Amino acid sequence: MTQEKLKELLQDMSLEEKVGQMIQLPADVLTGNGLVTGPTGTTQLTEDQIGMAGSVLGIKGAERLYELQKRQMEKQPHRIPMLFMLDVINGFETIFPIPLALGCTFSPELVKETCAIAAAEAAACGLHVTFSPMLDLVRDARWGRVMESPGEDPYLNSRMAEAMVEGYQGDLRRKDKVAACLKHFAGYGYPEGGRDYDNVELSERTFMEDYLPAYEAAVKKGCRLVMTSFNTLNRIPSSGNKWLLRKILRDKMGFQGVVISDYSAIEEMVFHGVAADAREAAKLGIEAGVDIDMVSNAYAGHLAELVRSGEVSEQLVDEAVLRILQLKNDLGLFEEPFRAVDSALAEKLLLREDFRQKARETAAASFVLLKNEGILPLKKTETIAWIGPFVENPELYGAWSFPEKPEETVTVRQGVEGKGLSHMTFAQGCYLMDPGCPTKYGRVINPCDEQADLWLREALEMAAASSRVVLCLGEHRDMSGEAGSRVSLGIPEGQMELLRKVRQVNPNIVTVLFCGRPLAVKEIAGLSRALLVAWMPGTEGGNAVADVLFGDRVPQGKLSMTFPRTLGQVPVYYNHLMTGRPNSPREIHLFKNGYMDEVTAPLYPFGYGLSYTEFSYSEVSLDRREMKAGETITASVTVTNTGDTDGVETVQLYIRDPAASVARPVRTLKGFRKVPLAAGESRKVSFSIEEPMLTFYDIDMNNTSEPGKFQVLIGGSSDTENGAEFVLV
Ligand code: BGC
């Protein structure tokens, strides 16, 4: 449809019809069921309002969506097709590792491919929009939603943001693409105390410098929607924050697409205490620039009347509706309301073999090897006992995955059996969750202690009779994700007891951890000879674990979020400020920054991860020591694989600005390169350093660089000290 036609359509619509476009229904209103992640608003919708709603979230199924579109369009005075939206977070039916794990691949290329596959599967099943990428910077592992973010670093998250938007959206006219919706705008990743939905206080400088870049990168790539966040940012709820949504998002970042609230977030402004009732909340929302009210019904209940009473200008409604119609138009829905929905195609696409292979490759690339005392890779001739509640658990996907065929997930046992080896034994060992443990859906009751005793006895006998034990432990998928905040960073006590007891009969333990957040793993690492973090690896998880443990693929992931030594260190992240009393990170010195009972260094820092070989780095060489704006300095290192196994190293470039008009982080990531290196091979890796990489928000809040000395650090982790200096003149 041409622009004129779109505008004509808008002019022809009644106020009620226009408001309808701004309403998003939850699935259950139309189908009687669907995922519900919070309360809906106080307004009861009329049949007419339901008929005129512009979009719905949370419905799956090609045939169901086809029927729904047909039915709803008949009710629409102008036959405007609906938008179907869903949280396709890390895969649709072929499930990939959780986003935090995707961050650990340090491979935007791979991540882009996973998103393209997710888009193709989702589009064939009739979906138009995915509520992804989630780009909230995360620094507090207590928050359950860290699993949804690529991690703690603005630069890495920005590269992942671009990859995800490109993968999902590409050219939106293509039938195998869906529109991307970045979220949660903004600052949702730093809730006080790690408590979900809690308030966020961030200085404007920290917000702009650390939290905004990834959102900005997604907008620059053309991301079509933005979702507001639940939280207040410096005391103002995002869904009513004009500064955030108009000044920053639209004016500064140049966003032209659709803004949608998070689930019920408009009416939640009443609970935040900034609106007296739903009517006032609706007014705040539209004035701030929220185009679609996700399920709170505040717009449905009050917007038309607010316009009629002259309290809200109809112009605001028109602008919002035009953006929504534009999105529908760009998706081609006016010409083809059923767009890509195709049950036969979906049948062929879902879980296609090459998609599964990509899931296997990605999962293996996301695993992070934290410790290895010469025990990995396992020899295929060894007798190995595979023990733990994750050995046969098919729920190897994160909290946002709802595969229609969960039985298609490859368990660890199946992955090991797929190698066709003898000498393998398998045991459950213990329950996954402790008795009485809270989950999102009630409390776990482990009904039978006798069963637990039997499992333990069997596991210990197997462990004693084997040369190696692989313990598959971790967090249940419901222990992270939305509403998955925790006050401890351990695994359930029953699993810890299993580990301690197995250790008494066989010290040759490899622990594989399945989790949705960084955990405090000091004791686990101490009791294990090797520790591999497998996160929530998805459909091909079991195969990927077997591949990596037997050395058919090499571990290559690097942490995208710091692993603390203890819960008390949280929030802990590598790019912190220096303080006036800097401490040596691995020592305790009183009256210096830190604690009296623990060092400040985390157990495993951002960027850390081992391989089956070792890499050495030459000193950093710079092609010159002085730089003017507009010039480039080339920083190089030679990286050598010094072992006898091939490997892949992620070479990381950090920059430090030791003296500026405001305190600067101890270092910030500015580049990375994945380098495959055969055993014994050396390669020169170079990075170009340019003045824009040195900018920050100065004392007057100008985004600029300041002349002076800079340090360049290049290595295989954020704690590298391999550096050189140059001066910006
Ligand atoms: C979450 C969003 C999600 C939305 C729709 C909310 O509870 O915060 O991330 O996209 O629900 O499911």
Side-chain angles (χ1 to χ4, degrees), residues 67 112 218 290 321 331 350 385 450 460 531 534 568 606 613:
E67 285 308 319
K112 181 176 158 186
V290 179
V321 176
L331 281 157
L350 302 185
E450 229 168 78
L460 294 179
L531 177 58
F606 174 84
T613 183

Side-chain angles (χ1 to χ4, degrees), residues 578-582:
M578 188 58 115
T579 83
R581 293 199 178 185

Side-chain angles (χ1 to χ4, degrees), residues 35 37-38 57 86-87 89 131 134 145 148 183-184 188 197 227 230 262-263 294 400 482:
L35 179 71
T37 54
L57 89 155
L86 185 76
D87 294 273
I89 305 296
F131 295 132
M134 188 278 216
R145 306 197 73 170
E148 295 176 54
K183 65 189 191 185
H184 306 85
Y188 185 40
Y197 318 116
M227 185 189 294
F230 286 125
D262 201 348
Y263 203 101
M294 185 195 292
W400 275 118
E482 186 171 355

Side-chain angles (χ1 to χ4, degrees), residues 551 553-558 610-615 639-650 674-681 683:
R553 290 177 200 258
V554 287
Q556 52 177 281
K558 298 278 189 175
L610 303 172
S611 184
Y612 290 155
T613 183
E614 286 193 357
F615 303 101
V639 189
T640 305
N641 179 344
T642 55
D644 49 18
T645 310
D646 297 352
V648 182
E649 173 66 324
T650 300
K674 284 197 93 157
V675 190
L677 286 168
E681 189 186 348
R683 224 194 260 191

Side-chain angles (χ1 to χ4, degrees), residues 441-500:
Y441 309 104
R443 279 179 185 272
V444 170
I445 302 164
N446 291 329
C448 183
D449 288 346
E450 229 168 78
Q451 175 67 75
D453 290 346
L454 269 176
W455 275 343
L456 182 62
R457 221 172 314 133
E458 176 199 35
L460 294 179
E461 276 165 20
M462 263 183 205
S466 305
S467 73
R468 301 279 185 262
V469 181
V470 177
L471 275 175
C472 295
L473 308 176
E475 288 183 299
H476 188 279
R477 66 189 281 258
D478 286 343
M479 290 169 78
S480 61
E482 186 171 355
S485 290
R486 297 179 59 203
V487 291
S488 67
L489 295 181
I491 59 173
E493 191 47 30
Q495 296 189 45
M496 282 308 295
E497 268 309 299
L498 175 68
L499 168 61
R500 292 181 195 117

Side-chain angles (χ1 to χ4, degrees), residues 14-20 22-23 43 49 52 278-279 282-283 286 293 297-314 317:
S14 68
L15 183 57
E16 275 66 26
E17 227 185 321
K18 288 193 270 194
V19 171
M22 301 171 73
I23 297 170
T43 304
Q49 283 174 322
M52 283 195 287
R279 186 176 188 276
K283 185 165 184 288
I286 178 88
D293 171 1
N297 299 343
Y299 281 4
H302 308 284
L303 202 47
E305 193 261 319
L306 280 165
V307 171
R308 289 214 169 89
S309 69
E311 285 163 90
V312 165
S313 145
E314 189 158 1
V317 171

Side-chain angles (χ1 to χ4, degrees), residues 579-629:
T579 83
R581 293 199 178 185
N583 206 342
S584 158
R586 286 189 183 74
E587 289 165 25
I588 295 173
H589 294 288
L590 298 184
F591 301 103
K592 288 198 166 194
N593 171 244
Y595 307 101
M596 64 188 295
D597 55 353
E598 187 53 278
V599 299
T600 55
L603 196 56
Y604 301 110
F606 174 84
Y608 173 87
L610 303 172
S611 184
Y612 290 155
T613 183
E614 286 193 357
F615 303 101
S616 73
Y617 282 73
S618 70
E619 282 180 9
V620 177
S621 76
L622 303 180
D623 65 343
R624 49 188 158 140
R625 302 262 163 187
E626 223 179 75
M627 177 167 129
K628 292 195 195 82

